[in-house]
Amino acid sequence: MTKVQDRNRGVRFEFLRMRPHDHMGCAIGGAGEFPVLAAPFLAEGAALGEFLMYVAQEPDPADVSRLDDLLDPDTLLVMSTAEVYGSTGVVDPARQRETYAGVLTEALAAGFTGIRVAADCTPLVSDE
């Protein structure tokens, strides 16, 4: 029998290759974990020729600069959750679709293979 003190602790992330239209959800312990989890996900998208989006409640410039070290800043669009999902805290599906469709259209026109979005949507589910 495994004792509690023998179990692994800390952050563990196993990244699985994504296919078009796949979604992945992660449980994080705080805002500082999101960029750590987003980085390999976005890096895989960059390797596949995808345009990248990083969405957070209030994107921290320090977190974004860490992504710049891994990714070409010209392939990364940083937006707030309010810009993508609306400022009310309730998802506006028409606005969300319009935002992503616009980014996708521009990305395809620029020669990218698609878009890849890493979004911390915690603020959208943090209350009733």
Side-chain angles (χ1 to χ4, degrees):
M1 185 165 119
T2 302
K3 296 180 182 179
V4 172
Q5 66 266 24
D6 295 335
R7 293 183 185 157
N8 290 333
R9 289 190 169 82
V11 175
R12 180 174 177 175
F13 182 69
E14 292 182 35
F15 187 72
L16 305 174
R17 181 163 292 285
M18 301 291 291
R19 295 171 302 184
H21 310 289
D22 280 354
H23 286 74
M24 175 174 43
C26 298
I28 58 176
E33 290 181 14
F34 177 65
V36 172
L37 294 174
F41 173 73
L42 292 172
E44 181 192 59
L48 295 171
E50 297 169 341
F51 185 76
L52 312 172
M53 291 180 69
Y54 178 89
V55 181
Q57 183 173 11
E58 294 178 20
D60 183 335
D63 293 337
V64 174
S65 69
R66 281 188 266 158
L67 294 172
D68 287 346
D69 293 341
L70 300 170
L71 309 167
D72 179 351
D74 294 333
T75 67
L76 178 66
L77 175 62
V78 178
M79 297 181 79
S80 71
T81 51
E83 291 173 299
V84 176
Y85 301 103
S87 60
T88 64
V90 176
V91 174
D92 178 344
R95 179 185 183 133
Q96 177 187 1
R97 185 187 185 294
E98 181 180 311
T99 298
Y100 288 136
V103 171
L104 176 61
T105 298
E106 290 178 20
L108 293 174
F112 291 95
T113 60
I115 62 173
R116 181 169 293 223
V117 181
D120 180 358
C121 294
T122 303
L124 301 176
V125 295
S126 61
D127 64 20
E128 298 163 9

